[in-house]
Amino acid sequence: MWKLKSTRIVKHYLSTNFLVLKMAKSSFEYVKKFEHDDSLLPNTWIVIRLDGKCFHKFADDHNFTKPNDLRALKLMNYAAYTVLKEYSDILLSFGQSDEYSFVLRKDSCLYKRRSAKLLTTINSKFSSSYVFYWNKFFEHLPLKYPPCFDGRIVLYPCDENLIDYMKWRQADVHINNLYNTTFWTLILKGQLTPVQAEKRLSGTVSADKNEILFQEFNMNYNNEPEIFKRGTILLRKSLLHNKVNKSIIVDVHDDMLKDKFWKENIYILSVKKSKQNLMYKGPTTEIIEDQLSKYENHLEA
Ligand code: ATP
Ligand code: ATP
Ligand code: MG
Ligand code: MG
């Protein structure tokens, strides 16, 4: 009898409290109206560019090799590859130094094209992957503090604008890398101070820098690794593996400033979802190896 009564009291207590909470919740809910619709214009290329915050300092604090730390570049590529694995709407991506650009399908409906949702999730996946995979590339070198990346979204209305955007980012690598390679060679091999090296390079054009490297240090800039000169492009291709065609993400260092690249890869920009990617014929990189070993271990979803 007592038990029945107490159960009734508890039930009554819970339902009244639930009602009060529900009423309270709905009276607070008006604050939701302060949120605004930030969905991006339909039928336009969405480019998301991330860039490391104060990475000149981050690079110094972690003893990055100057002017190019290969481990850091590979880590950036691996973090971007992790993003591409998660979001099939990303068709193409390009990275150099501490930045990465991701190009989403023109007709993407990912997160209903909500700007903040796209930028924050992609940035967050990239940033956490950078930290998560740090030791894969830097081994025992400790990560001293959590790095952070800023991000922006830019919309491009036509293919030409998008192609010019990609060319712009790659041209930036060329200019910076030629300058940095000459600057650091003057310091490391030419025993100049940073101030002297800067002075030496002021007013020089590309040909002068090539000449300094060649004449004074017997270095042919053309022989520098492609990853340093051109950055890294990640795209989806097909690969014949154990007699089966696999769709894979490949990392290449092709020249996007040449029309040949865009002629060969124009299928990427086609609005129709291409079932057949272009066959990949390049070397088996670590990123490709990673995918093939996962196929073999049947871990791939
Ligand atoms: P901001 O916060 O405005 O982006 P920043 O210091 O990150 O400032 P950036 O113009 O983005 O400036 O330049 C990135 C810097 O990070 C480079 O100039 C270089 O010093 C360093 N850096 C990034 N990646 C590498 C790398 N792989 N090897 C050596 N240094 C690198
Ligand atoms: P979305 O990507 O749309 O945000 P979501 O699965 O993250 O989807 P949320 O509405 O954000 O959905 O809800 C977060 C969910 O995560 C909760 O419903 C709960 O299942 C789980 N969760 C979060 N924090 C905890 C926690 N501390 N303990 C147990 N479960 C948790
Ligand atoms: Mg930066
Ligand atoms: Mg940068």
Side-chain angles (χ1 to χ4, degrees), residues 38 40 45-50 102 104 113-120 122 151-156:
D38 66 348
L40 298 165
W45 291 110
I46 301 172
V47 176
I48 297 177
R49 183 166 79 251
L50 311 179
F102 299 92
L104 272 84
R113 295 177 80 86
R114 285 159 58 198
S115 175
K117 190 98 176 170
L118 285 168
L119 182 58
T120 54
I122 286 176
R152 73 196 68 189
I153 293 190
V154 191
L155 297 179
Y156 291 108

Side-chain angles (χ1 to χ4, degrees), residues 3-133:
K3 206 176 168 195
L4 200 68
K5 203 173 169 191
S6 72
T7 313
R8 253 191 242 132
I9 293 167
V10 169
K11 271 190 180 166
H12 176 74
Y13 174 81
L14 285 176
S15 66
T16 347
N17 269 297
F18 182 68
L19 198 68
V20 170
L21 274 175
K22 212 173 154 189
M23 279 165 65
K25 192 181 170 223
S26 59
S27 75
F28 300 144
E29 226 163 44
Y30 77 96
V31 294
K32 186 117 180 81
K33 294 202 178 95
F34 284 63
E35 292 179 14
H36 68 278
D37 175 20
D38 66 348
S39 53
L40 298 165
L41 195 70
N43 200 33
T44 43
W45 291 110
I46 301 172
V47 176
I48 297 177
R49 183 166 79 251
L50 311 179
D51 186 286
K53 180 175 174 278
C54 288
F55 257 48
H56 66 280
K57 182 174 184 302
F58 183 83
D60 286 346
D61 291 342
H62 293 88
N63 301 323
F64 280 15
T65 315
K66 290 291 176 186
N68 287 296
D69 190 300
L70 190 59
R71 300 164 300 176
L73 293 175
K74 285 186 172 178
L75 173 58
M76 289 288 291
N77 292 345
Y78 204 82
Y81 155 67
T82 312
V83 174
L84 259 79
K85 274 202 295 187
E86 177 114 354
Y87 296 101
S88 62
D89 272 15
I90 300 173
L91 299 177
L92 179 67
S93 104
F94 176 69
Q96 56 129 332
S97 179
D98 66 339
E99 71 168 61
Y100 239 99
S101 297
F102 299 92
V103 180
L104 272 84
R105 308 178 55 78
K106 216 172 171 176
D107 60 351
S108 176
C109 292
L110 186 61
Y111 301 132
K112 299 189 180 126
R113 295 177 80 86
R114 285 159 58 198
S115 175
K117 190 98 176 170
L118 285 168
L119 182 58
T120 54
T121 44
I122 286 176
N123 189 355
S124 154
K125 185 78 186 182
F126 182 89
S127 308
S128 64
S129 301
Y130 190 95
V131 172
F132 193 75
Y133 292 114

Side-chain angles (χ1 to χ4, degrees), residues 194-211:
V195 175
Q196 289 169 328
E198 199 181 331
K199 219 169 174 183
R200 177 81 205 278
L201 291 178
S202 97
T204 56
V205 294
S206 289
D208 302 327
K209 292 183 194 86
N210 271 299
E211 212 48 31

Side-chain angles (χ1 to χ4, degrees), residues 240-300:
L240 198 63
H241 180 65
N242 294 341
K243 298 182 187 163
V244 183
N245 257 348
K246 304 276 186 206
S247 170
I248 50 158
I249 296 160
V250 301
D251 49 324
V252 296
H253 315 287
D254 295 353
D255 190 350
M256 291 191 289
L257 293 156
K258 296 223 168 79
D259 287 342
K260 184 173 171 273
F261 175 85
W262 296 104
K263 274 187 192 141
E264 264 175 30
N265 294 293
I266 199 69
Y267 73 99
I268 300 171
L269 307 183
S270 131
V271 174
K272 277 191 206 142
K273 222 170 191 156
S274 163
K275 288 208 173 59
Q276 195 64 51
N277 292 330
L278 209 71
M279 289 306 289
Y280 175 73
K281 296 195 185 77
T284 308
T285 62
E286 283 168 41
I287 281 179
I288 297 172
E289 191 76 66
D290 188 81
Q291 294 163 87
L292 297 181
S293 68
K294 274 180 190 142
Y295 274 128
E296 267 156 28
N297 295 331
H298 306 287
L299 290 173
E300 198 73 342

